[in-house]
Amino acid sequence: MVILFDEQLIPRNRAYVDIEDRGYQFGDGVYEVIRVYGGKMFCKTQHLSRLEQSAKEIRLHLPFSLERLDTLLEELVSQNRLREGTIYLQVSRGTAPRNHPFPEQARPMVVAYTTEAPRPLQTLREGVRAITEPDLRWLRCDIKSLNLLGAVLAKQKAVDSGCQETILHRDGRVTEGSSTNVFIVKDGQLATHPADNFILRGITRDVVIESAHELGIPVTERVFSVEELFRADEVFISSTTMEVTPVVSIDGRKVGTGSPGPLTRQLQTAFEKRISHSGSPS
Ligand code: PMP
């Protein structure tokens, strides 16, 4: 098992992160999680360009080109013989004496490693339970930053309530889940929050929107309220690791019939087709 450390592939136990790495001290960095299906990265280009965009937004210069990073990630997957799993990739602003302003000399630190993980088939089939909570995060949720404390606290509330996800809202307007995007279905129409500064523009969200267009399902990117969420016929969440997961109850109330709905199922099927076309056999 090797990891990517700066520009080299080395064994995990040889990696060394300084206590003054700014990712560690300030959460000063950005990251990506990329799914691997059948040994191939899914939506690789989209993830790499989002990483580039996040880095640009925090004025962090990647220490080498995206093409080089792409090659190194391919090598990482191949050397680890990863078939089904994820790549976690992060770039911090590097190591420097602790001080808030950007250091003048630090080299940004790239780290990536792989984890084997099967698809979450049971939750895809049965759905998950969710709770709602006020969105306490900052106003640049479009940046995939290492600062995840708001998300961590929100997710823990779900776990404490015996649920799997927390759906966040600002003054009654639904933004997204703690680590997912949220879609509702009402009268055959899909809605999800616009891709502005209040949400992360999920790669899976984009895939879902594209699939809906292909299937002729109307999609609107618009703000909707917590009341609308409760009245929805179907609700689902999307992310790289959770794919298209039905939400079957929210705050203890059933969503629709309490079972995954037909449009959710259709979009799950469309998603699976894309996985099988993009990934195996390689
Ligand atoms: N919103 C947030 C806050 C997230 O952390 C994630 C997962 N990274 C998503 C949405 C979904 O994004 P993606 O589909 O790119 O995994």
Side-chain angles (χ1 to χ4, degrees):
M1 164 87 160
V2 291
I3 66 157
L4 174 63
F5 188 71
D6 195 357
E7 227 178 316
Q8 287 186 320
L9 295 171
I10 60 168
R12 179 173 176 158
N13 59 11
R14 288 212 355 245
Y16 163 84
V17 177
D18 195 275
I19 55 167
E20 287 187 310
D21 181 289
R22 292 177 65 92
Y24 178 60
Q25 290 192 325
F26 296 108
D28 186 1
V30 294
Y31 77 106
E32 279 295 323
V33 176
I34 307 173
R35 194 72 170 86
V36 172
Y37 295 113
K40 274 193 71 176
M41 285 180 256
F42 184 64
C43 295
K44 177 177 71 179
T45 315
Q46 292 90 323
H47 282 285
L48 291 181
S49 61
R50 186 172 64 184
L51 181 78
E52 188 178 40
Q53 183 60 26
S54 294
K56 187 169 151 236
E57 292 293 341
I58 68 161
R59 296 160 59 193
L60 186 159
H61 302 288
L62 300 178
F64 42 84
S65 70
L66 276 197
E67 291 70 36
R68 177 85 179 118
L69 180 57
D70 183 340
T71 308
L72 289 163
L73 292 177
E74 289 290 354
E75 192 56 32
L76 177 72
V77 170
S78 136
Q79 284 200 25
N80 286 340
R81 295 196 171 77
L82 182 68
R83 302 295 301 168
E84 303 295 322
T86 55
I87 301 174
Y88 176 82
L89 161 65
Q90 80 165 49
V91 189
S92 83
R93 208 181 299 276
T95 295
R98 187 181 182 282
N99 200 7
H100 286 62
F102 297 169
E104 269 167 28
Q105 302 229 311
R107 175 177 166 89
M109 183 65 190
V110 176
V111 175
Y113 65 93
T114 59
T115 304
E116 279 180 37
R119 296 182 55 219
L121 295 177
Q122 191 181 346
T123 51
L124 288 172
R125 207 169 39 238
E126 296 171 5
V128 293
R129 294 181 302 277
I131 58 168
T132 59
E133 276 291 322
D135 192 341
L136 301 178
R137 302 170 305 162
W138 71 332
L139 299 174
R140 290 305 307 275
C141 296
D142 53 315
I143 301 170
K144 204 160 166 58
S145 117
L146 296 180
N147 287 273
L148 289 178
L149 197 49
V152 167
L153 294 176
K155 185 76 92 186
Q156 187 58 37
K157 284 213 170 160
V159 173
D160 292 343
S161 318
C163 294
Q164 292 87 352
E165 182 56 306
T166 298
I167 297 177
L168 302 168
H169 62 87
R170 289 190 192 265
D171 295 329
R173 289 188 280 261
V174 174
T175 51
E176 60 181 339
S178 67
S179 63
T180 56
N181 292 112
V182 177
F183 287 79
I184 57 170
V185 177
K186 188 68 186 174
D187 300 328
Q189 307 219 4
L190 270 178
T192 194
H193 195 285
D196 57 17
N197 61 305
F198 294 116
I199 68 158
L200 182 76
R201 179 173 168 185
I203 308 291
T204 321
R205 172 187 180 279
D206 282 357
V207 171
V208 167
I209 292 173
E210 220 177 277
S211 301
H213 287 318
E214 281 170 19
L215 292 165
I217 304 167
V219 198
T220 325
E221 293 181 52
R222 66 173 176 86
V223 172
F224 57 86
S225 65
V226 174
E227 286 74 46
E228 273 187 89
L229 177 75
F230 283 127
R231 286 199 311 268
D233 300 327
E234 304 175 34
V235 175
F236 64 85
I237 51 179
S238 71
S239 80
T240 295
T241 51
M242 297 190 77
E243 301 181 4
V244 176
T245 294
V247 176
V248 293
S249 86
I250 302 173
D251 292 344
R253 303 192 224 170
K254 270 188 203 169
V255 173
T257 61
S259 306
L263 259 63
T264 307
R265 288 294 189 223
Q266 248 187 299
L267 289 160
Q268 285 184 313
T269 306
F271 193 81
E272 286 205 342
K273 275 196 192 135
R274 283 175 184 251
I275 296 171
S276 55
H277 289 158
S278 79
S280 55
S282 60

